[in-house]
Amino acid sequence: MVPSSSFAEFKAGFFPLIFTKERINKEDMLQDKLKKIKQEITAELERTRTLEQLEELNKKYFSRASGELTQLVREIKNLAEEERPMIGKIANEIKREAEELIDKVRVGLVEHSAGQNKEKIFDPTLPGRKGAAGSLHILTQIRREVEEIMAGLGFIVVDGPELESEWYNFEAVNVPSWHPARDMQDTFYVKSKGKIQKAKVGGEGEREIDYKLVMRTHTSNVQVRAMEKYGVPLRCIVPGRAFRNEATDARHEHNFHQVEGLMVDKNISIANFKAVLDAIIKSILGADYKTRIRPGFFPFVEPGFEVDLSCILCQTKGCRVCKQTGWVEFCGAGMVHPNVLKAGGVDPEKYSGFAFGFGLERLAMMRYGINDIRLFESGDLRFLRQF
Amino acid sequence: MLVSLNLLKRYVDLPATATPEEVVAKLSACTVEVEDFFEAGKDLKNIVVCKVVKLEKHPNADKLRIVRVDMGKDSLLKVVCGGINLYEGMLTAVALPGAMVKWHGEGESVKLERTKIRGEESEGMICAANEIGLADRFPAGELEIIDLTVLDFQIGKSLAEAFELDDVIIDIDNKSITNRPDLWGHYGIAREVAAIYDSKLKPLEIEEKAETREAKDKDGSGLKVSIKDYKLCPRYLGLMVENVKVKESPLWLRNALTLVGLRPINNIVDVTNYVMVEIGQPMHAFDAEVVGNIVVRVANQGEKIITLDKVEMELDPETLVIADSKKPIAVAGVMGGLHSQITDKTKKIILEAANFEAVGVRKTSQRLGVRTDASMRFEKSLDVNLAEAAIRRASYLIKEIIPEAKVAETIVADGKVATSEETIEMSVGYIQTKTGVEISKGEIVDILKRLGFVVKDKKENLAVTVPSWRATGDIKTKEDLSEEVARIYGYEKIKPEFPEVRIKTLPREGERIVINKIKDQLSGRAAMNEILNYSFWPKKLVDDLGVEREAELIGLLNPLSEDQAYLRMSLVPGLLKNISDNSRFYDEFKLYEVGRIFLDRKGKYKIEKHSKEHLPDQPYYLAGALVGPANKEPFWEAKGIIEGLGEEFDLDFVAWSAGRNPFYEFINKMTDKEKRLVIVNGKEKIGWIGEVNVSTADYFGVKNRKIAVFELDLTAILEAKEELKQYRPAPKYPVVWRDIAIEVAWKTHWENIKKEIAKINPLIKEITFLSEYDLGKKKSLAWRVKYQSEERTLKDEEVAALEAEVVGMLESKFGAKRR
């Protein structure tokens, strides 16, 4: 509806001031014309009932080429110089007020017409229009989360090769070629086209090493690389792909992702490891989780630990998921073996540290109730789009 | 490895309160990984020993009988049975309602219920051995029920108890004792349990009187043994036993072996196996009638032996064998020969207990592809002293179960007796720092002593002498001792405490930030789904795409199957397979992967810090694949995605000139010859974008869809120095937009038109493509030009003049006509 109070204001406006002087000259004529046109606009606006009529009115008075008000404003330049500012000001004022009023009338008409069409009712319950959504792989998401948390604890994220020398994958982490522990990790060996069997190694203890290449069996291959590159003290994690030459099933995959963690500093103890481990687990999984460590054997650590997590389903009471033990195995860990520190050029008499390694898939499976590890590298959008 | 709790209890006293659950919990908290534990006799519940009292005919069935059995209760039980070997007075087993039985030894176990058979009530079931899982101990013919008469069991006794099966079996994860050769037998585990419970370990009952005669003290009579290679065989002991009668072992022995998963064979072999189960030392017995004096030597090239599993093996000088003067009679530490095996006819045996070097056994076992209970133990590096303990224990047992046997009074031996014991010095402070616990000197000493270490207090330090069974490479350093103390002290008792650290400048992780940015843009703005595929390529793919001709392809030496024969050298085939797999469920989608590919050329990583050799190259690649219906052009969206990345990184396109394919031939073959471009970073060609041609789409099983693909080597982008954007103030003067449409020859490339327009005047700020139309012989192109000055408001006439210049240039240079 047309708001009437505006009209009253508009009519009262500047007119008393303008019409106090009674002079019949050019400027008075122009003032009269302006006054008249203002009345006309007001009157017409009161009769305006549709947007089309409003558009007509707009054109009639305000069109740049032939609008009646526009014409009047152009006439101002014919006035005497001393009169121009005052009349110009009045004209602008009238123009501005008229335009404001037209906008108000327009808003009124639009709202009015929206309420008129009772048959065609807008249905706000129709679904919104979403843009297409992409997704990050669930392992990328969970990996980023781990990286964030570890970065907060001052661990840097280090990358390393997936196709690795036997030296960094095994020897450097205290798994010599004859060691039965090599059986624990079914290794993919890589055909080397070159004829090299042995590679000369310079430096202090000059010697020959086997030039054999493997798909890294763990991301622990970066332990010694990281010590060489960054020195100690060192806190780092190594997320990445690892490979095991074993048949796949719901729990085993030959391509998988691991996060290795390493901290080397002075006087690092088992008590320190327990505290940091607990902090990591609580940050990633939630404060409800408890951890415990048991003896475990991994050649790169001494002592070595198996890390268990409290079973979130039964809160350590024992259920089917945890085979009635109340705990589920989570990762391997331990205090860094002096041979590994030595391989990294670190003096084990001065420094000690801990290391741990867990599977990202395993973490994701526990967290999201995923029951088949093969889904992660299946490329199945029905799986990937859920996250 | 399976461990019997009953057997453990023979060597160590446990508190009455120690339940199997508690023992298992303590073992796993302090020593080893326990995979599982279970009651051995639980399958025999509700099955009892009974006596057949009376046999009657079944009124309605010829092959069935009604049997009245006595099970020690007031009344007899009535059972219908079809067993053909039933007789009155026979002792057998009856399953009562609730027992789990396997009908005729087949299928799943089912719960027995009271039932009527051919109209006659049956209150139980008289069992055949295979119906209650005892077929191993009681081999029988068809329809024969289990005959326990000779065993003289007490009537009414539960079968589990009668067979001494009321045991708990603990399954220990072999991996967790890889470094603990001393734990590969019950006695070693008992030693741990004794340490954990602070209880006493009982001595083994062994033959003590026999004299051990070293080979060097020759006396010319009896058995002779000699070692030719003391490195591969540090110790060898032989013992002659005459007048043996080879037969089935007594029940307790058969039971003991069966409980820990070994198959009873005969009394001699069972004794050797039992000793291995007890103390972890593998033994062997030869038929002394067919072998002469024993020599331990490496095999000659081409020598052959048929082993106990009846396989002929060809030997070489890297294989250590036990031989007599003529030929090898056993592969040392792995398996005995068939020729000298113990048979029913054997009267005279030679018992062997030896120590073989771990790496040698391991290599032999790998070379021959045979892994046995013996080789598994030897390759862990056994205590040299264990061999003598084993042969004395075996001697003791043989005298017990074969009283008539004549056991030689002399054990014949060659090699060293281990005497050198390692001593490690460490301080109490070291243990406290390493564990983070104020553990007292007294407690440290006590724990070590319980584990068999000898500890001398040298004021500042403790001098810890390692017992022979741990001096096998297992305990060498103070770190090793810290584990011994900490695990018995109890990891759960160590209070968590955060480390104090010094803050340090951290390196900027540029590569990770860039990869994150790329993924965010693709998964966000481009609405793509991130995929992770295997790093491997199947052989078939390589063959079919002709990739094997690419010099940089890398193969796996020992793939699990042909599906993982090679390392991927492009991410694209994986994505095409994903498209094929997903197209059953989705019509239009967009995938990408960021991952390493592998190329046989010098990469950035070294194989060792000081070496000159480098690992093969393994750059990070990015690939994307977009699939849509045949009437759409996903190529444009793919290109748009790269252009989007180009806003962040330095990326541009150049033509993929015919005949000069910058990439691998298989990629050339996969893509449409017109719809493709090379992606450049600076001047370097780092990738490509193209439509997958029909034959390739068809190969991957994608029909009636169009697939656009891009792939980039990210190396240059990841290594590029980050260029920070510089702020520019927004322009002050207004913009003038003008649209132009022209008619031009099909061959004219938009990119060239755009370049020429841009050259005309710096007031031309942007040229935005609008559309391309088909005009038959020619095409129409339309675009919008942005004119803007940084110094003034442009006049209409000025813009019109520039526009005329543009049109003039188009006419003269491209033969275009304004529409």
Side-chain angles (χ1 to χ4, degrees), chain A residues 132-137 139-140 144 147 154 156-157 159-165 167-168 177-184 187-191 193 196 199-203 207 209 211 213 215 225 228 230-233 235 241 243 245-247 253-255 257 263 265-272 274-276 279 293-297 302-306 323 329 335-336 338 349 351 376-382 384-385, chain B residues 28-33 35 175-176 178-179 359 362 366 371 379-380 433-436 478-480 482-483 486-487 491-502 504 506-507 509 511-512 515-516 519-520 523 527-536 550-560 564 567-568 578 581-582 585-586 588-589 591-593 596 598 600 605-616 618 620:
Chain A
S135 64
L136 287 170
H137 195 285
L139 291 179
T140 299
R144 284 187 181 183
E147 286 171 353
I156 55 169
V157 182
D159 194 18
E162 292 170 9
L163 167 51
E164 182 59 288
S165 64
W167 162 257
Y168 281 113
S177 61
W178 50 265
H179 202 290
R182 289 237 179 150
D183 289 352
M184 292 161 64
T187 311
F188 282 114
Y189 284 89
V190 170
K191 274 184 208 160
K193 285 184 188 162
I196 323 164
K200 252 226 166 90
V201 166
R207 67 205 188 283
I209 59 170
Y211 183 71
L213 301 177
M215 298 310 287
R225 287 186 179 275
E228 285 171 352
Y230 300 108
V232 285
R235 265 172 289 164
R241 249 176 220 258
F243 307 83
N245 192 352
E246 60 185 7
E253 178 61 285
H254 54 64
N255 276 222
H257 294 76
M263 173 167 190
D265 208 329
K266 284 182 177 150
N267 299 329
I268 296 298
S269 68
I270 299 173
N272 293 157
K274 283 185 77 172
V276 174
I293 59 174
R294 294 181 282 119
F297 171 65
E302 185 67 45
F305 312 130
E306 291 282 354
K323 291 190 213 150
E329 267 182 46
M335 306 304 289
V336 183
E349 293 301 319
Y351 286 91
F376 293 101
E377 299 203 28
S378 66
D380 190 337
L381 288 175
R382 293 169 300 166
L384 294 168
R385 284 184 173 173
Chain B
S28 65
C30 299
T31 307
V32 293
E33 169 120 33
E35 296 222 315
K175 271 189 250 165
S176 77
T178 304
N179 59 333
V359 179
R362 186 177 140 78
Q366 277 177 340
R371 217 147 174 256
E379 69 177 33
K380 307 294 184 292
T433 311
K434 185 90 190 206
T435 55
K478 56 185 196 288
E479 284 80 10
D480 298 326
S482 74
E483 173 168 42
R487 67 186 177 89
Y491 288 134
E492 80 285 353
K493 276 163 47 193
I494 298 177
K495 253 177 59 194
E497 197 187 311
F498 281 109
E500 282 176 27
V501 294
R502 279 171 289 162
K504 195 179 155 181
L506 303 178
E509 300 161 25
E511 295 200 356
R512 188 166 71 94
I515 287 179
N516 282 351
K519 287 186 178 180
D520 285 341
S523 290
M528 302 180 88
N529 297 111
E530 188 194 2
I531 294 270
L532 289 171
N533 279 319
Y534 292 147
S535 302
F536 301 139
E550 308 286 2
E552 296 181 341
L553 178 68
I554 300 176
L556 281 182
L557 204 59
N558 58 336
L560 208 56
Q564 307 122 19
L567 299 182
R568 60 181 179 182
N578 298 144
D581 292 346
N582 281 297
F585 310 107
Y586 303 96
E588 267 187 274
F589 51 95
L591 311 173
Y592 76 94
E593 180 176 10
R596 287 191 189 276
F598 304 88
D600 201 354
Y605 291 109
K606 283 185 170 183
I607 68 159
E608 199 270 352
K609 192 184 175 187
H610 303 289
S611 169
K612 286 195 189 80
E613 302 294 334
H614 287 247
L615 293 173
Q618 34 200 316
Y620 275 109

Side-chain angles (χ1 to χ4, degrees), chain B residues 32 55 312 618 810:
Chain B
V32 293
L55 289 169
E312 186 179 70
Q618 34 200 316
L810 293 170

Side-chain angles (χ1 to χ4, degrees), chain A residues 206-373:
Chain A
E206 188 171 299
R207 67 205 188 283
E208 283 199 325
I209 59 170
D210 279 346
Y211 183 71
K212 266 204 238 161
L213 301 177
V214 300
M215 298 310 287
R216 65 174 173 192
T217 53
H218 44 205
T219 57
S220 316
N221 68 319
V222 185
Q223 281 195 7
V224 167
R225 287 186 179 275
M227 282 188 261
E228 285 171 352
K229 189 166 174 186
Y230 300 108
V232 285
L234 176 67
R235 265 172 289 164
C236 69
I237 58 163
V238 189
R241 249 176 220 258
F243 307 83
R244 294 280 165 89
N245 192 352
E246 60 185 7
T248 55
D249 59 32
R251 314 288 300 172
H252 298 90
E253 178 61 285
H254 54 64
N255 276 222
F256 61 100
H257 294 76
Q258 212 183 29
V259 178
E260 172 89 7
L262 175 69
M263 173 167 190
V264 181
D265 208 329
K266 284 182 177 150
N267 299 329
I268 296 298
S269 68
I270 299 173
N272 293 157
F273 171 65
K274 283 185 77 172
V276 174
L277 171 76
D278 210 48
I280 294 169
I281 293 303
K282 288 193 157 72
S283 304
I284 298 175
L285 290 170
D288 295 342
Y289 279 90
K290 287 194 273 287
T291 56
R292 74 171 184 193
I293 59 174
R294 294 181 282 119
F297 171 65
F298 308 98
F300 18 97
V301 284
E302 185 67 45
F305 312 130
E306 291 282 354
V307 175
D308 290 340
L309 287 186
S310 56
C311 176
I312 199 67
L313 275 184
C314 65
Q315 315 284 353
T316 73
K317 283 197 262 312
C319 68
R320 234 167 44 112
V321 168
C322 57
K323 291 190 213 150
Q324 308 303 329
T325 61
W327 297 87
V328 288
E329 267 182 46
F330 180 64
C331 78
M335 306 304 289
V336 183
H337 197 285
N339 289 351
V340 179
L341 292 173
K342 276 185 226 156
V346 176
D347 183 353
E349 293 301 319
K350 289 192 185 135
Y351 286 91
S352 57
F354 59 75
F356 56 87
F358 60 85
L360 269 185
E361 280 89 349
R362 192 177 174 79
L363 186 61
M365 288 169 88
M366 283 172 49
R367 216 172 157 186
Y368 302 104
I370 298 164
N371 59 7
D372 193 333
I373 194 171

Side-chain angles (χ1 to χ4, degrees), chain B residues 153-173:
Chain B
F153 285 151
Q154 189 192 328
I155 293 167
K157 207 172 195 179
S158 95
L159 206 60
E161 208 182 327
F163 277 124
E164 297 175 22
L165 284 180
D166 52 343
D167 196 355
V168 171
I169 303 301
I170 305 170
D171 185 359
I172 290 174
D173 180 7

Side-chain angles (χ1 to χ4, degrees), chain B residues 714-768:
Chain B
L714 294 179
T715 311
I717 295 176
L718 295 179
E719 285 172 359
K721 229 181 125 203
E722 196 177 0
E723 273 184 44
L724 294 176
K725 286 178 182 162
Q726 293 298 316
Y727 166 74
R728 277 186 314 193
K732 280 188 215 141
Y733 298 95
V735 173
V736 180
W737 298 100
R738 290 284 184 272
D739 291 0
I740 300 188
I742 58 164
E743 189 180 303
V744 71
W746 279 105
K747 65 172 202 277
T748 311
H749 276 173
W750 161 248
E751 191 70 23
N752 294 334
I753 291 180
K754 191 178 160 183
K755 268 187 205 151
E756 290 299 327
I757 298 172
K759 278 189 207 164
I760 285 178
N761 196 298
L763 293 174
I764 297 176
K765 296 295 181 212
E766 271 175 41
I767 303 153
T768 314

Side-chain angles (χ1 to χ4, degrees), chain B residues 290-358:
Chain B
V290 298
V291 302
N293 286 331
I294 283 173
V295 185
V296 187
R297 60 164 170 88
V298 292
N300 299 320
Q301 189 66 47
E303 245 181 327
K304 285 177 185 157
I305 184 170
I306 298 173
T307 43
L308 284 171
D309 53 357
K310 302 189 174 72
V311 175
E312 186 179 70
M313 291 188 179
E314 192 165 326
L315 308 169
D316 60 30
E318 284 186 47
T319 313
L320 188 72
V321 293
I322 317 300
D324 61 10
S325 56
K326 292 183 221 102
K327 58 177 179 184
I329 55 174
V331 180
V334 180
M335 204 186 277
L338 188 65
H339 177 67
S340 57
Q341 75 168 335
I342 307 299
T343 67
D344 298 351
K345 298 180 189 76
T346 304
K347 298 274 179 297
K348 198 167 128 186
I349 61 163
I350 300 167
L351 281 176
E352 165 202 288
N355 188 272
F356 302 115
E357 190 254 347

